[in-house]
Amino acid sequence: MKNIFCFLMVLVVPFFTQAQANVSYGSFKLVDQQLIYQKVFVEDSVTVAKAAEYYKTLPYVSNLATTNDEVTFDMNDLVVDYKKFQFTQVATPPIIQTGKYSGKVTVGIRDGKYRITVSEIQLTGDIGYKKITEKDKLTNYAAKNSGTIMNQEWCKPNTLGLLEKAFTDKLQYVPQHKKIAKDDW
């Protein structure tokens, strides 16, 4: 009996471990059969008013709205600057190089921290075997089995890893006193 139990554990444990590992990659995860980006940041000075003021200045933000504890907006045609993150053209998939990413963004704000959630993520671009000219759900490419597991072809540092860096870089709240000067002297 003990041998049967051990044999079943050898078969069952890796199955459940693999299943759990296949529903997220970095700050991306599958929620209700949809791929979302979600990340928490610590920032003592963040308020809804300051965050709204900051996000209004970004060129890829539209339809900004606020409530007592969050800022919501549409992210439109965000481009990944893969060279900024020191990736070469050869090592970067065509969809990351040519892609434009859009989605619904919610910035939830609590005492000393905020959480960015990007849902309904869509993309256009060249995926190599197909040109995506109309906005299509990222979930259709980065997930399998109707959005229940991650597509391992996307779970790489130069794919979702690079997209995560771009989303973090472009959507992270930067307080006024921490902004970098645009002119070098």
Side-chain angles (χ1 to χ4, degrees):
M1 184 71 170
K2 187 175 181 180
N3 288 341
I4 292 173
F5 178 74
C6 289
F7 177 73
L8 288 174
M9 290 304 289
V10 168
L11 291 176
V12 173
V13 171
F15 173 76
F16 284 112
T17 305
Q18 183 179 4
Q20 289 175 348
N22 286 335
V23 295
S24 67
Y25 182 85
S27 297
F28 286 96
K29 61 184 173 181
L30 290 168
V31 176
D32 297 328
Q33 297 178 307
Q34 177 187 178
L35 184 71
I36 67 166
Y37 164 91
Q38 192 169 65
K39 192 164 186 173
V40 176
F41 300 89
V42 176
E43 177 57 56
D44 293 332
S45 68
V46 68
T47 64
V48 171
K50 288 179 183 178
E53 182 181 326
Y54 170 73
Y55 287 115
K56 282 180 187 176
T57 65
L58 302 178
Y60 40 84
V61 170
S62 65
N63 301 324
L64 189 132
T66 61
T67 63
N68 290 340
D69 59 353
E70 69 182 21
V71 178
T72 60
F73 56 88
D74 294 334
M75 174 182 73
N76 302 302
D77 296 336
L78 185 126
V79 176
V80 177
D81 184 1
Y82 62 94
K83 292 178 183 175
K84 177 179 183 175
F85 303 110
Q86 300 178 2
F87 281 79
T88 64
Q89 184 176 8
V90 173
T92 305
I95 192 59
I96 299 296
Q97 293 179 39
T98 64
K100 293 183 179 180
Y101 300 86
S102 302
K104 303 283 184 191
V105 180
T106 302
V107 181
I109 300 170
R110 291 191 181 170
D111 295 330
K113 60 185 172 182
Y114 64 100
R115 179 178 69 186
I116 298 174
T117 304
V118 183
S119 60
E120 300 179 34
I121 304 170
Q122 297 180 326
L123 75 156
T124 58
D126 184 354
I127 200 155
Y129 60 88
K130 172 183 175 184
K131 290 196 186 318
I132 305 166
T133 56
E134 298 291 322
K135 289 184 179 180
D136 199 359
K137 294 178 184 177
L138 179 61
T139 305
N140 294 341
Y141 302 94
K144 291 181 175 181
N145 297 347
S146 301
T148 57
I149 61 170
M150 301 291 290
N151 181 342
Q152 292 306 301
E153 291 299 313
W154 279 75
C155 294
K156 298 177 181 175
N158 65 344
T159 311
L160 279 181
L162 195 47
L163 191 57
E164 176 183 4
K165 286 178 183 278
F167 279 16
T168 300
D169 180 58
K170 298 288 187 174
L171 297 174
Q172 186 173 1
Y173 167 72
V174 179
Q176 192 66 28
H177 66 279
K178 288 187 180 179
K179 284 189 179 177
I180 298 168
K182 295 205 184 250
D183 58 327
D184 293 328
W185 58 282

